[in-house]
Amino acid sequence: MSELLKVVHIPRQRHTEHHGELDPVTAFLEDFAPGQGQLTLVCWGRAWSHYWGAMGNDYSLDRFIRTASTDYLVGKLMLPYDVMLKRSERREEKWLYQIVEALKVQLKVST
C-alpha cells in the first residue's frame, strides 16, 4: 500500500507548432517510501506505468519527475512495450513524450 498518492489532471492540450493535440491525461504518482515510487499515466484507455526502487537522494516521485530527463522517463515507461512488441512504436513514443512534458509543466505549476 502506498504512503502517498498524488493525482494530477493534465488538461487537453491544443495543437502548437511543436506538438500535436494531446487529450486529457491523468497521472498517478505513488510514493511508497523515500526514494521509491511508481508513476502511472492514463489517456483514453491507454496506460503506461513504471516503478522506481531507487530514485536517489530520497527524492519524492514528484521531484524526481521534474528533475529527470524526459527521454529517460519515456524510455522507462515504454520498456514493457519494447519487451512485448520487440520494438518501440515511434508514434506512441512521440505521444508519450508529449504527455511526460505536459506532466512536468503541470507539476511545476502546482508546486
PDB file of all heavy atoms in Angstrom, residues 41-66:
ATOM      1  N   LEU A  41       0.420   6.728 -16.009  1.00  0.00           N
ATOM      2  CA  LEU A  41      -0.226   7.723 -16.862  1.00  0.00           C
ATOM      3  C   LEU A  41      -1.363   7.049 -17.610  1.00  0.00           C
ATOM      4  O   LEU A  41      -1.185   5.962 -18.158  1.00  0.00           O
ATOM      5  CB  LEU A  41       0.772   8.283 -17.876  1.00  0.00           C
ATOM      6  CG  LEU A  41       2.008   8.963 -17.294  1.00  0.00           C
ATOM      7  CD1 LEU A  41       3.015   9.277 -18.392  1.00  0.00           C
ATOM      8  CD2 LEU A  41       1.616  10.224 -16.561  1.00  0.00           C
ATOM      9  N   VAL A  42      -2.535   7.698 -17.640  1.00  0.00           N
ATOM     10  CA  VAL A  42      -3.713   7.144 -18.317  1.00  0.00           C
ATOM     11  C   VAL A  42      -4.269   8.187 -19.276  1.00  0.00           C
ATOM     12  O   VAL A  42      -4.523   9.330 -18.880  1.00  0.00           O
ATOM     13  CB  VAL A  42      -4.801   6.729 -17.298  1.00  0.00           C
ATOM     14  CG1 VAL A  42      -6.006   6.153 -18.018  1.00  0.00           C
ATOM     15  CG2 VAL A  42      -4.240   5.738 -16.284  1.00  0.00           C
ATOM     16  N   CYS A  43      -4.457   7.791 -20.537  1.00  0.00           N
ATOM     17  CA  CYS A  43      -5.004   8.678 -21.546  1.00  0.00           C
ATOM     18  C   CYS A  43      -5.860   7.851 -22.499  1.00  0.00           C
ATOM     19  O   CYS A  43      -5.339   6.983 -23.210  1.00  0.00           O
ATOM     20  CB  CYS A  43      -3.873   9.382 -22.303  1.00  0.00           C
ATOM     21  SG  CYS A  43      -4.444  10.537 -23.558  1.00  0.00           S
ATOM     22  N   TRP A  44      -7.150   8.085 -22.488  1.00  0.00           N
ATOM     23  CA  TRP A  44      -8.112   7.423 -23.378  1.00  0.00           C
ATOM     24  C   TRP A  44      -7.928   5.903 -23.461  1.00  0.00           C
ATOM     25  O   TRP A  44      -7.787   5.330 -24.530  1.00  0.00           O
ATOM     26  CB  TRP A  44      -8.069   8.034 -24.773  1.00  0.00           C
ATOM     27  CG  TRP A  44      -8.695   9.372 -24.817  1.00  0.00           C
ATOM     28  CD1 TRP A  44      -8.046  10.568 -24.884  1.00  0.00           C
ATOM     29  CD2 TRP A  44     -10.086   9.687 -24.754  1.00  0.00           C
ATOM     30  NE1 TRP A  44      -8.935  11.604 -24.874  1.00  0.00           N
ATOM     31  CE2 TRP A  44     -10.216  11.085 -24.802  1.00  0.00           C
ATOM     32  CE3 TRP A  44     -11.244   8.927 -24.667  1.00  0.00           C
ATOM     33  CZ2 TRP A  44     -11.434  11.738 -24.758  1.00  0.00           C
ATOM     34  CZ3 TRP A  44     -12.459   9.582 -24.629  1.00  0.00           C
ATOM     35  CH2 TRP A  44     -12.537  10.967 -24.672  1.00  0.00           C
ATOM     36  N   GLY A  45      -7.895   5.264 -22.325  1.00  0.00           N
ATOM     37  CA  GLY A  45      -7.837   3.807 -22.294  1.00  0.00           C
ATOM     38  C   GLY A  45      -6.442   3.219 -22.434  1.00  0.00           C
ATOM     39  O   GLY A  45      -6.258   2.026 -22.272  1.00  0.00           O
ATOM     40  N   ARG A  46      -5.451   4.021 -22.723  1.00  0.00           N
ATOM     41  CA  ARG A  46      -4.062   3.567 -22.775  1.00  0.00           C
ATOM     42  C   ARG A  46      -3.434   3.915 -21.433  1.00  0.00           C
ATOM     43  O   ARG A  46      -3.749   4.950 -20.837  1.00  0.00           O
ATOM     44  CB  ARG A  46      -3.274   4.254 -23.890  1.00  0.00           C
ATOM     45  CG  ARG A  46      -3.733   3.909 -25.267  1.00  0.00           C
ATOM     46  CD  ARG A  46      -3.343   2.508 -25.720  1.00  0.00           C
ATOM     47  NE  ARG A  46      -1.911   2.430 -25.888  1.00  0.00           N
ATOM     48  CZ  ARG A  46      -1.215   1.312 -25.651  1.00  0.00           C
ATOM     49  NH1 ARG A  46      -1.814   0.219 -25.256  1.00  0.00           N
ATOM     50  NH2 ARG A  46       0.076   1.297 -25.825  1.00  0.00           N
ATOM     51  N   ALA A  47      -2.516   3.082 -20.976  1.00  0.00           N
ATOM     52  CA  ALA A  47      -1.843   3.350 -19.706  1.00  0.00           C
ATOM     53  C   ALA A  47      -0.374   2.946 -19.803  1.00  0.00           C
ATOM     54  O   ALA A  47      -0.031   1.976 -20.494  1.00  0.00           O
ATOM     55  CB  ALA A  47      -2.524   2.592 -18.572  1.00  0.00           C
ATOM     56  N   TRP A  48       0.457   3.713 -19.124  1.00  0.00           N
ATOM     57  CA  TRP A  48       1.879   3.430 -19.025  1.00  0.00           C
ATOM     58  C   TRP A  48       2.241   3.547 -17.557  1.00  0.00           C
ATOM     59  O   TRP A  48       1.773   4.428 -16.862  1.00  0.00           O
ATOM     60  CB  TRP A  48       2.698   4.444 -19.823  1.00  0.00           C
ATOM     61  CG  TRP A  48       2.327   4.527 -21.258  1.00  0.00           C
ATOM     62  CD1 TRP A  48       2.885   3.837 -22.290  1.00  0.00           C
ATOM     63  CD2 TRP A  48       1.314   5.343 -21.839  1.00  0.00           C
ATOM     64  NE1 TRP A  48       2.278   4.172 -23.466  1.00  0.00           N
ATOM     65  CE2 TRP A  48       1.311   5.100 -23.219  1.00  0.00           C
ATOM     66  CE3 TRP A  48       0.394   6.259 -21.329  1.00  0.00           C
ATOM     67  CZ2 TRP A  48       0.440   5.738 -24.095  1.00  0.00           C
ATOM     68  CZ3 TRP A  48      -0.476   6.889 -22.190  1.00  0.00           C
ATOM     69  CH2 TRP A  48      -0.438   6.630 -23.559  1.00  0.00           C
ATOM     70  N   SER A  49       3.111   2.662 -17.095  1.00  0.00           N
ATOM     71  CA  SER A  49       3.457   2.676 -15.684  1.00  0.00           C
ATOM     72  C   SER A  49       4.898   2.201 -15.499  1.00  0.00           C
ATOM     73  O   SER A  49       5.382   1.351 -16.255  1.00  0.00           O
ATOM     74  CB  SER A  49       2.498   1.758 -14.917  1.00  0.00           C
ATOM     75  OG  SER A  49       2.697   1.879 -13.534  1.00  0.00           O
ATOM     76  N   HIS A  50       5.551   2.761 -14.495  1.00  0.00           N
ATOM     77  CA  HIS A  50       6.898   2.292 -14.147  1.00  0.00           C
ATOM     78  C   HIS A  50       7.131   2.530 -12.654  1.00  0.00           C
ATOM     79  O   HIS A  50       6.706   3.540 -12.096  1.00  0.00           O
ATOM     80  CB  HIS A  50       7.973   3.013 -14.963  1.00  0.00           C
ATOM     81  CG  HIS A  50       9.334   2.409 -14.764  1.00  0.00           C
ATOM     82  ND1 HIS A  50       9.703   1.226 -15.361  1.00  0.00           N
ATOM     83  CD2 HIS A  50      10.384   2.808 -14.016  1.00  0.00           C
ATOM     84  CE1 HIS A  50      10.935   0.928 -15.006  1.00  0.00           C
ATOM     85  NE2 HIS A  50      11.366   1.867 -14.174  1.00  0.00           N
ATOM     86  N   TYR A  51       7.831   1.579 -12.034  1.00  0.00           N
ATOM     87  CA  TYR A  51       8.193   1.651 -10.623  1.00  0.00           C
ATOM     88  C   TYR A  51       9.691   1.922 -10.514  1.00  0.00           C
ATOM     89  O   TYR A  51      10.495   1.286 -11.215  1.00  0.00           O
ATOM     90  CB  TYR A  51       7.858   0.331  -9.914  1.00  0.00           C
ATOM     91  CG  TYR A  51       8.463   0.229  -8.539  1.00  0.00           C
ATOM     92  CD1 TYR A  51       7.890   0.888  -7.460  1.00  0.00           C
ATOM     93  CD2 TYR A  51       9.619  -0.515  -8.321  1.00  0.00           C
ATOM     94  CE1 TYR A  51       8.455   0.804  -6.193  1.00  0.00           C
ATOM     95  CE2 TYR A  51      10.195  -0.601  -7.061  1.00  0.00           C
ATOM     96  CZ  TYR A  51       9.600   0.062  -6.005  1.00  0.00           C
ATOM     97  OH  TYR A  51      10.162  -0.014  -4.755  1.00  0.00           O
ATOM     98  N   TRP A  52      10.064   2.879  -9.671  1.00  0.00           N
ATOM     99  CA  TRP A  52      11.462   3.154  -9.383  1.00  0.00           C
ATOM    100  C   TRP A  52      11.724   2.756  -7.938  1.00  0.00           C
ATOM    101  O   TRP A  52      11.101   3.275  -7.025  1.00  0.00           O
ATOM    102  CB  TRP A  52      11.788   4.636  -9.563  1.00  0.00           C
ATOM    103  CG  TRP A  52      11.914   5.043 -10.985  1.00  0.00           C
ATOM    104  CD1 TRP A  52      13.038   5.008 -11.753  1.00  0.00           C
ATOM    105  CD2 TRP A  52      10.875   5.550 -11.830  1.00  0.00           C
ATOM    106  NE1 TRP A  52      12.756   5.442 -13.018  1.00  0.00           N
ATOM    107  CE2 TRP A  52      11.434   5.787 -13.103  1.00  0.00           C
ATOM    108  CE3 TRP A  52       9.518   5.814 -11.651  1.00  0.00           C
ATOM    109  CZ2 TRP A  52      10.706   6.274 -14.171  1.00  0.00           C
ATOM    110  CZ3 TRP A  52       8.789   6.297 -12.716  1.00  0.00           C
ATOM    111  CH2 TRP A  52       9.376   6.524 -13.960  1.00  0.00           C
ATOM    112  N   GLY A  53      12.655   1.834  -7.731  1.00  0.00           N
ATOM    113  CA  GLY A  53      13.002   1.377  -6.389  1.00  0.00           C
ATOM    114  C   GLY A  53      14.106   2.198  -5.750  1.00  0.00           C
ATOM    115  O   GLY A  53      14.332   2.118  -4.546  1.00  0.00           O
ATOM    116  N   ALA A  54      14.818   2.973  -6.566  1.00  0.00           N
ATOM    117  CA  ALA A  54      15.909   3.810  -6.053  1.00  0.00           C
ATOM    118  C   ALA A  54      16.000   5.076  -6.898  1.00  0.00           C
ATOM    119  O   ALA A  54      16.610   5.070  -7.956  1.00  0.00           O
ATOM    120  CB  ALA A  54      17.218   3.037  -6.090  1.00  0.00           C
ATOM    121  N   MET A  55      15.365   6.149  -6.432  1.00  0.00           N
ATOM    122  CA  MET A  55      15.384   7.409  -7.167  1.00  0.00           C
ATOM    123  C   MET A  55      16.529   8.314  -6.722  1.00  0.00           C
ATOM    124  O   MET A  55      16.712   9.385  -7.279  1.00  0.00           O
ATOM    125  CB  MET A  55      14.044   8.141  -7.003  1.00  0.00           C
ATOM    126  CG  MET A  55      12.892   7.418  -7.657  1.00  0.00           C
ATOM    127  SD  MET A  55      11.344   8.317  -7.567  1.00  0.00           S
ATOM    128  CE  MET A  55      10.840   8.062  -5.882  1.00  0.00           C
ATOM    129  N   GLY A  56      17.293   7.922  -5.731  1.00  0.00           N
ATOM    130  CA  GLY A  56      18.428   8.720  -5.265  1.00  0.00           C
ATOM    131  C   GLY A  56      18.007   9.889  -4.408  1.00  0.00           C
ATOM    132  O   GLY A  56      16.936  10.449  -4.573  1.00  0.00           O
ATOM    133  N   ASN A  57      18.880  10.239  -3.467  1.00  0.00           N
ATOM    134  CA  ASN A  57      18.675  11.403  -2.604  1.00  0.00           C
ATOM    135  C   ASN A  57      17.324  11.403  -1.897  1.00  0.00           C
ATOM    136  O   ASN A  57      16.838  12.461  -1.501  1.00  0.00           O
ATOM    137  CB  ASN A  57      18.828  12.708  -3.393  1.00  0.00           C
ATOM    138  CG  ASN A  57      20.214  12.860  -3.973  1.00  0.00           C
ATOM    139  OD1 ASN A  57      21.184  12.415  -3.372  1.00  0.00           O
ATOM    140  ND2 ASN A  57      20.309  13.473  -5.130  1.00  0.00           N
ATOM    141  N   ASP A  58      16.705  10.240  -1.761  1.00  0.00           N
ATOM    142  CA  ASP A  58      15.393  10.144  -1.110  1.00  0.00           C
ATOM    143  C   ASP A  58      14.371  11.096  -1.714  1.00  0.00           C
ATOM    144  O   ASP A  58      13.533  11.676  -1.021  1.00  0.00           O
ATOM    145  CB  ASP A  58      15.499  10.371   0.402  1.00  0.00           C
ATOM    146  CG  ASP A  58      16.240   9.249   1.100  1.00  0.00           C
ATOM    147  OD1 ASP A  58      16.231   8.114   0.558  1.00  0.00           O
ATOM    148  OD2 ASP A  58      16.810   9.472   2.171  1.00  0.00           O
ATOM    149  N   TYR A  59      14.445  11.296  -3.025  1.00  0.00           N
ATOM    150  CA  TYR A  59      13.506  12.168  -3.723  1.00  0.00           C
ATOM    151  C   TYR A  59      12.087  11.653  -3.624  1.00  0.00           C
ATOM    152  O   TYR A  59      11.863  10.446  -3.588  1.00  0.00           O
ATOM    153  CB  TYR A  59      13.852  12.237  -5.215  1.00  0.00           C
ATOM    154  CG  TYR A  59      14.952  13.195  -5.593  1.00  0.00           C
ATOM    155  CD1 TYR A  59      15.736  13.846  -4.642  1.00  0.00           C
ATOM    156  CD2 TYR A  59      15.211  13.446  -6.914  1.00  0.00           C
ATOM    157  CE1 TYR A  59      16.742  14.716  -5.016  1.00  0.00           C
ATOM    158  CE2 TYR A  59      16.224  14.321  -7.300  1.00  0.00           C
ATOM    159  CZ  TYR A  59      16.982  14.952  -6.340  1.00  0.00           C
ATOM    160  OH  TYR A  59      17.967  15.813  -6.710  1.00  0.00           O
ATOM    161  N   SER A  60      11.138  12.570  -3.639  1.00  0.00           N
ATOM    162  CA  SER A  60       9.747  12.189  -3.857  1.00  0.00           C
ATOM    163  C   SER A  60       9.609  11.937  -5.358  1.00  0.00           C
ATOM    164  O   SER A  60      10.438  12.400  -6.159  1.00  0.00           O
ATOM    165  CB  SER A  60       8.803  13.314  -3.429  1.00  0.00           C
ATOM    166  OG  SER A  60       8.956  14.429  -4.303  1.00  0.00           O
ATOM    167  N   LEU A  61       8.573  11.226  -5.763  1.00  0.00           N
ATOM    168  CA  LEU A  61       8.370  10.956  -7.184  1.00  0.00           C
ATOM    169  C   LEU A  61       8.139  12.260  -7.948  1.00  0.00           C
ATOM    170  O   LEU A  61       8.647  12.446  -9.052  1.00  0.00           O
ATOM    171  CB  LEU A  61       7.200   9.988  -7.387  1.00  0.00           C
ATOM    172  CG  LEU A  61       6.967   9.518  -8.812  1.00  0.00           C
ATOM    173  CD1 LEU A  61       8.200   8.848  -9.406  1.00  0.00           C
ATOM    174  CD2 LEU A  61       5.780   8.574  -8.867  1.00  0.00           C
ATOM    175  N   ASP A  62       7.400  13.180  -7.365  1.00  0.00           N
ATOM    176  CA  ASP A  62       7.145  14.487  -7.973  1.00  0.00           C
ATOM    177  C   ASP A  62       8.473  15.174  -8.326  1.00  0.00           C
ATOM    178  O   ASP A  62       8.698  15.592  -9.462  1.00  0.00           O
ATOM    179  CB  ASP A  62       6.329  15.339  -6.998  1.00  0.00           C
ATOM    180  CG  ASP A  62       5.960  16.708  -7.523  1.00  0.00           C
ATOM    181  OD1 ASP A  62       6.825  17.391  -8.109  1.00  0.00           O
ATOM    182  OD2 ASP A  62       4.812  17.117  -7.316  1.00  0.00           O
ATOM    183  N   ARG A  63       9.363  15.267  -7.349  1.00  0.00           N
ATOM    184  CA  ARG A  63      10.658  15.930  -7.578  1.00  0.00           C
ATOM    185  C   ARG A  63      11.502  15.154  -8.578  1.00  0.00           C
ATOM    186  O   ARG A  63      12.173  15.743  -9.432  1.00  0.00           O
ATOM    187  CB  ARG A  63      11.400  16.090  -6.259  1.00  0.00           C
ATOM    188  CG  ARG A  63      12.701  16.830  -6.434  1.00  0.00           C
ATOM    189  CD  ARG A  63      13.329  17.185  -5.116  1.00  0.00           C
ATOM    190  NE  ARG A  63      14.587  17.879  -5.357  1.00  0.00           N
ATOM    191  CZ  ARG A  63      15.505  18.055  -4.443  1.00  0.00           C
ATOM    192  NH1 ARG A  63      15.286  17.641  -3.203  1.00  0.00           N
ATOM    193  NH2 ARG A  63      16.622  18.668  -4.732  1.00  0.00           N
ATOM    194  N   PHE A  64      11.494  13.838  -8.489  1.00  0.00           N
ATOM    195  CA  PHE A  64      12.264  13.005  -9.409  1.00  0.00           C
ATOM    196  C   PHE A  64      11.823  13.242 -10.854  1.00  0.00           C
ATOM    197  O   PHE A  64      12.654  13.420 -11.745  1.00  0.00           O
ATOM    198  CB  PHE A  64      12.099  11.530  -9.031  1.00  0.00           C
ATOM    199  CG  PHE A  64      12.826  10.591  -9.946  1.00  0.00           C
ATOM    200  CD1 PHE A  64      14.205  10.477  -9.896  1.00  0.00           C
ATOM    201  CD2 PHE A  64      12.128   9.816 -10.852  1.00  0.00           C
ATOM    202  CE1 PHE A  64      14.880   9.604 -10.741  1.00  0.00           C
ATOM    203  CE2 PHE A  64      12.784   8.946 -11.697  1.00  0.00           C
ATOM    204  CZ  PHE A  64      14.170   8.829 -11.641  1.00  0.00           C
ATOM    205  N   ILE A  65      10.514  13.289 -11.093  1.00  0.00           N
ATOM    206  CA  ILE A  65       9.988  13.501 -12.448  1.00  0.00           C
ATOM    207  C   ILE A  65      10.408  14.875 -12.957  1.00  0.00           C
ATOM    208  O   ILE A  65      10.797  15.023 -14.115  1.00  0.00           O
ATOM    209  CB  ILE A  65       8.457  13.338 -12.471  1.00  0.00           C
ATOM    210  CG1 ILE A  65       8.093  11.873 -12.262  1.00  0.00           C
ATOM    211  CG2 ILE A  65       7.867  13.858 -13.783  1.00  0.00           C
ATOM    212  CD1 ILE A  65       6.633  11.641 -11.980  1.00  0.00           C
ATOM    213  N   ARG A  66      10.330  15.880 -12.098  1.00  0.00           N
ATOM    214  CA  ARG A  66      10.685  17.234 -12.516  1.00  0.00           C
ATOM    215  C   ARG A  66      12.163  17.373 -12.869  1.00  0.00           C
ATOM    216  O   ARG A  66      12.525  18.195 -13.701  1.00  0.00           O
ATOM    217  CB  ARG A  66      10.303  18.259 -11.439  1.00  0.00           C
ATOM    218  CG  ARG A  66       8.802  18.492 -11.382  1.00  0.00           C
ATOM    219  CD  ARG A  66       8.407  19.583 -10.391  1.00  0.00           C
ATOM    220  NE  ARG A  66       8.467  19.065  -9.022  1.00  0.00           N
ATOM    221  CZ  ARG A  66       9.209  19.589  -8.059  1.00  0.00           C
ATOM    222  NH1 ARG A  66       9.951  20.652  -8.277  1.00  0.00           N
ATOM    223  NH2 ARG A  66       9.211  19.070  -6.850  1.00  0.00           N
TER     224      ARG A  66
END
